[in-house]
Amino acid sequence: MAKGIVWARRLVQAACLILFLYLFWSVGLQDPKSTEPPSRFLFLDLDPLAWLWTTLAARTVTFVPWLVLIVLGVTLLLGRVFCGWVCPLGTVHNIFTWLRRFFRDKRVRNDGWTRWQRGKYYALAGFLVLALFGAQWVGVFDPICVLYRSLATALYPGMQYSVEQGASAIYDIDPHVGPLHVKAATEPVYQVIRAHVFAWKRQVFCGGGLILVLFVTIVLLNLYKPRFWCRYLCPLGGLLGVCSQRPVLRLESSDKCTKCGICARQCPAAADPDKPNQWRSTECYGCWNCVKACNRNAITFKFK
C-alpha cells in the first residue's frame, strides 16, 4: 500500500508541476482583453500565505477564496500534504534531492530534526509583521511567487535566448556532415519550437541575472540537505506547519520497531519518524517515504 501511495504522490507532483508550467506558458498566448477567468492564477489562489499577506497589507478582512479554505482544511486534517504533493517548487526540490545521490557520499546517514528548522516560523512571523506596515517582502519568499518570478524573468528568457542564438549560429555557419546540411535538420525543429514553445516576444528584465542566481542557489542547496528551502526558509511551509499541529492523519509506531533508523534516512523533512511518540507533524510532508522504507511494517499513517 505504501509503495502505491508513494507512486501516486509522484504522479500528482508531476501533474501539478506540468500544470503550473502550462499555465505560465499560456499567459503569453492569452488576449489581454479576454474576459475568460484568469485560470493562470490557480496556484496563487491555492496559496493561503498570499491571501494572508495581502489581507494584512490592506488592513481589511477580505473574502477567503474557497481554494484557500480547501488547502487549510486539508492541512488541518492531513498535515502539510500541500508541500509534499502539490507545491510545484517543492517538486523541483524533490527532483534535485533525488539527484543528490549522484553528488554526495552514498552512505546515507540519519538526518534528524534540528532547531534551525524553526527558521521558517521566525521568517513567517517577521514577514507578516512587515506586511502590516505595507512591506511586501513575504512575496519575495513565497514559493509560488519564487518559481513564477524565476521562470518569467530568468529561466524562460534565458532558454529562449539560448535556443534562438544557437539556431542562428548553426544557420550562419551552415556546417556539413558529408553532403548533408545540419541546418536542414535543425531549422524545422527551431521553427516548431519558436511557434509553439517560445510564442512570447523575447524580453530582458533588469535583475534577471540576480533572480537566476538566487533560484539556482536555493535549488543547489538540496545537494547539501534534502529540501533545504522547505525545511529552513519557506514561509508558506511555516504557515502550513502552524496549521498542522494536530492532524487527524498521524504516524504511529508498533512494537515491531527496532529503531534501525531506515525511515529517518528516507525522510526529506527531518520529521523524526524513527522516534516513537516524537514524530513531528509540523515538519512532515506526508510523502510516505518512511512507511515505504520500513521493511518490518513497523510504522504507518492512521486516522486518529
Side-chain angles (χ1 to χ4, degrees):
M1 176 181 175
K3 186 176 181 180
I5 293 177
V6 168
W7 275 106
R9 188 252 306 161
R10 291 170 179 168
L11 291 174
V12 171
Q13 284 184 293
C16 289
L17 179 58
I18 291 171
L19 177 60
F20 183 90
L21 295 175
Y22 169 75
L23 293 176
F24 165 81
W25 171 78
S26 67
V27 171
L29 305 179
Q30 190 166 352
D31 185 353
K33 299 180 181 179
S34 174
T35 58
E36 295 181 6
S39 58
R40 60 187 180 274
F41 299 132
L42 172 63
F43 283 88
L44 279 176
D45 290 338
L46 286 168
D47 187 346
L49 182 60
W51 169 81
L52 181 58
W53 105 60
T54 52
T55 299
L56 290 175
R59 299 184 183 179
T60 182
V61 178
T62 59
F63 175 73
V64 185
W66 63 273
L67 289 175
V68 167
L69 291 175
I70 289 176
V71 171
L72 292 176
V74 170
T75 303
L76 290 171
L77 293 174
L78 306 180
R80 287 175 58 185
V81 292
F82 181 87
C83 302
W85 290 65
V86 178
C87 180
L89 184 58
T91 302
V92 173
H93 290 314
N94 255 23
I95 294 171
F96 278 85
T97 294
W98 177 79
L99 293 174
R100 181 174 183 263
R101 67 184 67 185
F102 300 106
F103 297 93
R104 299 281 294 182
D105 190 341
K106 294 183 181 296
R107 294 173 296 175
V108 182
R109 299 175 175 85
N110 285 351
D111 189 16
W113 181 88
T114 68
R115 60 188 177 86
W116 293 104
Q117 290 177 238
R118 297 172 181 163
K120 58 183 173 290
Y121 302 107
Y122 297 139
L124 171 66
F127 288 141
L128 293 182
V129 170
L130 288 174
L132 280 172
F133 293 94
Q136 300 292 349
W137 279 96
V138 65
V140 177
F141 289 87
D142 183 281
I144 306 299
C145 299
V146 166
L147 184 56
Y148 193 95
R149 182 171 56 249
S150 300
L151 282 169
T153 63
L155 298 176
Y156 188 90
M159 290 186 293
Q160 188 174 11
Y161 177 81
S162 299
V163 170
E164 290 180 357
Q165 292 300 110
S168 297
I170 293 174
Y171 187 88
D172 293 338
I173 297 172
D174 190 19
H176 294 69
V177 180
L180 301 177
H181 293 258
V182 174
K183 72 178 182 181
T186 60
E187 197 62 20
V189 175
Y190 168 66
Q191 294 299 331
V192 171
I193 293 176
R194 182 178 179 181
H196 299 286
V197 179
F198 298 123
W200 301 11
K201 182 180 179 180
R202 180 151 59 91
Q203 299 174 323
V204 177
F205 295 88
C206 293
L210 176 60
I211 291 173
L212 177 62
V213 169
L214 292 175
F215 179 78
V216 170
T217 298
I218 67 173
V219 167
L220 291 182
L221 282 172
N222 292 288
L223 302 181
Y224 172 64
K225 287 284 187 180
R227 295 194 65 160
F228 184 98
W229 168 269
C230 309
R231 284 195 198 187
Y232 303 107
L233 301 173
C234 180
L236 176 57
L239 177 61
L240 297 178
V242 172
C243 296
S244 59
Q245 295 285 336
R246 295 194 177 277
V248 176
L249 187 65
R250 303 184 64 80
L251 186 69
E252 290 191 352
S253 303
S254 68
D255 295 336
K256 298 178 183 178
C257 180
T258 60
K259 298 183 177 61
C260 63
I262 291 178
C263 56
R265 295 169 196 157
Q266 297 299 321
C267 178
D272 290 342
D274 58 327
K275 299 177 181 179
N277 303 319
Q278 296 184 33
W279 167 70
R280 298 179 182 273
S281 61
T282 57
E283 304 297 325
C284 178
Y285 308 143
C287 66
W288 283 68
N289 284 350
C290 58
V291 181
K292 176 178 174 288
C294 182
N295 51 23
R296 293 178 175 271
N297 297 320
I299 58 174
T300 189
F301 282 94
K302 292 184 179 180
F303 289 99
K304 186 176 180 181

